[in-house]
Amino acid sequence: PRTRARPTTNILHPAKPWGLVSQMVSDYRKTAPAVKVRIFRSGTGPVVAKLQAEMQANDVKADVIWFADIAYFHKLASEGKLMTVHVTAPDVPAKFRYEGGKYWEVRQIFNVIAYNTLKVKTPPTSWSVLTNPAYKGKVGMPSPAYSGAAFTGLATLTQTPSLGWKFYQNLAKNNPVVEQGNGSVANKLASGEFEVGTVVGFMIRNLKVKGSPVNYVWPKQGAVLIPTPVGVLASTKHPQAASAFINYLLSTRGQKLFVKQGYIPVRPNMGIPKGVPSLSKLHVLQVNVGYMSGHHDQLMSRFQKLFQ
């Protein structure tokens, strides 16, 4: 008998640690063994560049996109390039369903301040610690040109009245090391090459669990919420398989796996990673999507002049 070809879900995904990606895909395929999954993984900047190049060539290979650039998701939705995905989970908060289900938030991650516990004995409390001359040349930060999370942080902190561009000007005077992505910053904090830095919190939680001498704090001004939406391109040849993948991410099984991986889920009553306080008790800085979308080039130009 002839064998029917298995549907393939092609995912454009940010530079999430590969072990976590493999674990997630392996678990998903237990629920959908007939679906083959292929992933292109890089930083948000390269992922968006790849997608734009494929669109220009009228040869889009991706079915699902998932990265930390909510402004670009909004652009795609406004151009009719995202399909509406119906999610069966009944309790996904409305704030995580964007534009009527054109794209969805599936986990919550935050930019925080992290530090090496062998090098820093007094935990920092404010973003301004990164400008402290005591840490000159010992501060690590990801590049907003590569990391969508870093760009979201740049757009948010520069619009925070108590910080603004003055914070980045003072930070530049402290000779920070601008790494490509968050993973590199986290690993160099663990090794002691950096003493303090800004990084997404889940990476530090996972390193700490494994025994690395790292920890993190929620700055008093607030940690930056990093939207990392997931959506299905309208050009997909596999709409059912692609929609099923997003439903898996928001299912009880998928949400509980996120917790095990150190992420904060979006659905209530799924639990939270060990050591994470209740979000209701913490100050969170929300991204201004309209500002971020309309000022991308201006923000990057000013950042590059400070940190070139």
Side-chain angles (χ1 to χ4, degrees):
R2 297 177 61 185
T3 301
R4 187 175 181 179
R6 292 184 297 172
T8 299
T9 301
N10 295 293
I11 303 171
L12 283 181
H13 195 277
K16 178 181 177 182
W18 186 243
L20 300 184
V21 174
S22 298
Q23 185 183 39
M24 178 191 65
V25 170
S26 176
D27 189 66
Y28 165 66
R29 293 208 60 232
K30 292 176 182 177
T31 71
V35 178
K36 181 179 179 181
V37 179
R38 289 192 300 230
I39 295 178
F40 174 83
R41 173 181 169 270
S42 188
T44 296
V47 167
V48 171
K50 177 178 173 62
L51 180 58
Q52 289 176 328
E54 290 182 357
M55 286 180 171
Q56 290 174 358
N58 198 28
D59 184 27
V60 178
K61 296 179 173 59
D63 300 297
V64 176
I65 54 174
W66 186 7
F67 45 77
D69 189 343
I70 192 171
Y72 191 66
F73 273 85
H74 173 69
K75 178 178 182 294
L76 292 176
S78 67
E79 295 172 349
K81 294 179 179 178
L82 294 178
M83 62 174 273
T84 300
V85 174
H86 174 67
V87 168
T88 58
D91 57 350
V92 180
K95 64 181 178 180
F96 297 129
R97 182 181 67 247
Y98 301 118
E99 301 194 49
K102 293 291 180 64
Y103 46 110
W104 295 79
E105 204 70 62
V106 296
R107 76 256 167 110
Q108 300 178 75
I109 64 175
F110 298 86
N111 273 353
V112 297
I113 298 173
Y115 60 100
N116 181 291
T117 57
L118 299 179
K119 304 281 186 177
V120 178
K121 298 304 181 184
T122 302
T125 60
S126 166
W127 285 106
S128 61
V129 74
L130 303 180
T131 68
N132 188 331
Y135 299 120
K136 191 168 187 176
K138 301 172 184 177
V139 177
M141 56 190 292
S143 168
Y146 180 84
S147 165
F151 180 75
T152 300
L154 173 68
T156 303
L157 294 181
T158 54
Q159 291 297 293
T160 301
S162 62
L163 295 167
W165 278 106
K166 186 68 174 178
F167 164 71
Y168 280 94
Q169 290 165 354
N170 291 333
L171 178 57
K173 295 175 183 177
N174 223 23
N175 295 337
V177 179
V178 181
E179 294 287 330
Q180 189 178 55
N182 283 274
S184 180
V185 175
N187 289 333
K188 290 185 179 182
L189 281 165
S191 70
E193 184 172 338
F194 298 149
E195 295 188 8
V196 295
T198 174
V199 67
V200 288
F202 78 88
M203 291 186 179
I204 300 301
R205 285 196 296 272
N206 290 346
L207 284 170
K208 183 180 178 181
V209 167
K210 294 178 181 178
S212 293
V214 291
N215 207 343
Y216 71 95
V217 296
W218 292 65
K220 64 181 182 181
Q221 299 94 340
V224 180
L225 174 65
I226 307 299
T228 57
V230 57
V232 177
L233 291 167
S235 58
T236 179
K237 295 179 176 63
H238 309 290
Q240 290 184 330
S243 296
F245 178 73
I246 294 180
N247 269 281
Y248 159 77
L249 296 176
L250 287 167
S251 70
T252 298
R253 182 182 183 125
Q255 292 285 284
K256 287 188 175 294
L257 177 63
F258 279 144
V259 175
K260 291 179 182 178
Q261 292 183 329
Y263 295 106
I264 301 170
V266 296
R267 288 178 56 192
N269 304 316
M270 294 290 112
I272 55 176
K274 184 178 180 181
V276 176
S278 170
L279 296 184
S280 63
K281 300 178 181 179
L282 298 168
H283 184 40
V284 174
L285 296 174
Q286 302 282 346
V287 60
N288 183 327
V289 178
Y291 175 80
M292 187 168 69
S293 177
H295 294 80
H296 180 278
D297 292 345
Q298 177 187 341
L299 286 162
M300 284 305 308
S301 175
R302 194 165 179 181
F303 179 89
Q304 288 166 350
K305 287 178 181 178
L306 284 173
F307 295 94
Q308 61 184 359

